[in-house]
Structure formats: C-alpha cells, structure tokens
Amino acid sequence: MKLFVNSGSPFARKARIVVRERGWAPGVEEVFTVPVESPGDLVGANPVAQIPALIGDDGVCWQDSTLICAWLDAKGEGAPLLPPADSAAYWAVRRLEAAAVALIEMNVRMVLENRRPENERSPFWLRRWEDNLVRGFTRVETMCPAADVFDMGTLTLGVAGTYTTFRYPHIGWRDIAPKAAALTDALERRQSFIETFPK
Ligand SMILES: N[C@@H](CCC(=O)N[C@@H](CS)C(=O)NCC(=O)O)C(=O)O
C-alpha cells in the first residue's frame, strides 16, 4: 500500500501512527509529498490533493484521515483503537476524536492563512480560528480520559496537542487543558509518536 504524507501534517501523522500501532508498517510505503504543488501521483489518489491519501494493494484509493484511520483500524492486527460499533464506548471515543479533529482543522486553517502574503491575510479569520482553538481545548479537557487510555480519540487528541505546540506555542493550551497535556506527554513516549514527531 502507499500512504501519501509529509513530515509536518497532523492529519497525515494520525494515519502514520495508526499504521504503526495496527501492524501495517511492513506493508505500507510512505510517500513524502508537497500537497500544494498537486503532484500527479497524489491527485490520482486524492483529487483534492490533500494528505493523507492511501492506495490499497487492490488499487482502491482512500481520502480523509478519519476514514483512512477507521479502515486501517478495522483491518489491522490485534486490539482495535475503536470500540465495537454502536457501543456507548464507541460513541464516546468518536466524540473525542471529532473534537480533536476540529482542533487540528483550526490549526491547519491558520497555517494556510499565514502562508499567504502578509497584506492578504485576514486578521478576522485568524482571530476567529484561534478563539475556536482555545474554546476547543476547553471542551476536550472536559472529555479527556486518564493519561494511560489509548484509543482513536486520545490518539487524535495527542496529535492535536503536539501540533498546536509545534505551530502556535503562544496559545498556551497546556494551561487550559492540563489533563489533555498529561495525556499528550504520555502518548509522545510511544514509539509510533516518536517516529512521527512533526518536523
Ligand atoms: N479532511 C482532511 C483534511 C486533510 C488536510 O487538510 N491535509 C492538509 C495537510 S495537514 C493538506 O493536505 N493540505 C493541502 C491543501 O489543502 O491544499 C483529512 O482529514 O484528511
């Protein structure tokens, strides 16, 4: 299989971690790419030229990190990261996952806006996304399980926390969300997190 990634993307990092945690690593070639240049192989896998994108051994193309991770999890080896479908635990994990994906989205929007020439950036949208991010961390703190819980929700929250520190250390999310910070610190000690730390 081929997984299109780069070394900074938090959405791609989530998929790279799931690949490692669910026993896929030997069969997955990570293709490092620059999505904004819309390279042909990436566009063939994902027409909207975003990472992660996955091409299965059967040639089927997968886009969207949440879907890719759910599929890798369902078909992987050993204990899954998502509880049995439609259990109470399943919906709790998916709620945390969605809340953490929203944190990643706010970060990525800010990164893209900040890549525009300075005089074209919108202070309104940058302010709004940063405010959303702060409120989002306040919310995930109320949902955050113990630091030793490892599932698709906590994994995504760890990726979101580290990415926020990587891009916007001034936001101080660790003070807003100390339980999420402890969880992130614990996750970053796992081999899958160490190997994919953003650069
Ligand atoms: N909803 C998508 C978002 C993926 C996404 O935004 N990826 C970013 C990198 S972190 C990207 O490829 N951006 C390039 C672009 O949007 O042109 C997912 O979850 O996979």
Side-chain angles (χ1 to χ4, degrees):
M1 295 204 292
K2 280 188 181 183
L3 182 67
F4 293 87
V5 300
N6 69 22
S7 50
S9 162
F11 288 117
R13 185 184 189 206
K14 180 179 173 185
R16 297 177 73 201
I17 291 169
V18 174
V19 161
R20 285 160 175 74
E21 293 286 351
R22 301 294 285 111
W24 289 101
V28 172
E29 179 195 350
E30 291 186 334
V31 182
F32 285 74
T33 190
V34 184
V36 291
E37 293 174 0
S38 302
D41 54 354
L42 173 61
V43 170
N46 180 357
V48 299
Q50 288 185 328
I51 54 171
L54 181 74
I55 306 179
D57 287 334
D58 54 4
V60 171
C61 298
W62 297 79
Q63 65 192 76
D64 191 82
S65 58
T66 302
L67 180 65
I68 290 170
C69 290
W71 185 81
L72 290 169
D73 188 48
K75 306 289 180 190
E77 289 170 0
L81 295 162
L82 283 166
D86 210 23
S87 61
Y90 173 85
W91 292 114
V93 169
R94 301 262 25 193
R95 283 181 67 242
L96 181 61
E97 182 186 27
V101 165
L103 301 178
I104 298 175
E105 273 176 14
M106 293 305 111
N107 268 286
V108 170
R109 287 181 194 187
M110 288 162 66
V111 168
L112 293 180
E113 187 70 15
N114 279 317
R115 283 200 186 140
R116 304 174 77 191
E118 203 165 346
N119 62 339
E120 291 178 19
R121 290 177 205 159
S122 165
F124 170 81
W125 285 109
L126 284 168
R127 180 76 263 150
R128 179 168 161 74
W129 293 327
E130 187 168 325
D131 289 347
N132 290 349
L133 196 49
V134 168
R135 280 197 303 272
F137 273 111
T138 306
R139 172 61 60 87
V140 293
E141 184 68 359
T142 68
M143 305 162 76
C144 188
D148 61 349
V149 174
F150 186 57
D151 57 32
M152 196 67 86
T154 57
L155 182 161
T156 312
L157 181 52
V159 169
T162 295
Y163 192 69
T164 306
T165 302
F166 175 61
R167 289 292 184 195
Y168 302 109
H170 72 275
I171 287 179
W173 69 272
R174 300 176 70 90
D175 297 328
I176 303 166
K179 280 199 286 183
L183 180 96
T184 300
D185 291 344
L187 290 169
E188 290 295 350
R189 288 194 281 275
R190 298 180 79 92
Q191 191 60 27
S192 61
F193 276 70
I194 291 168
E195 288 176 11
T196 60
F197 197 78
K199 297 188 194 90

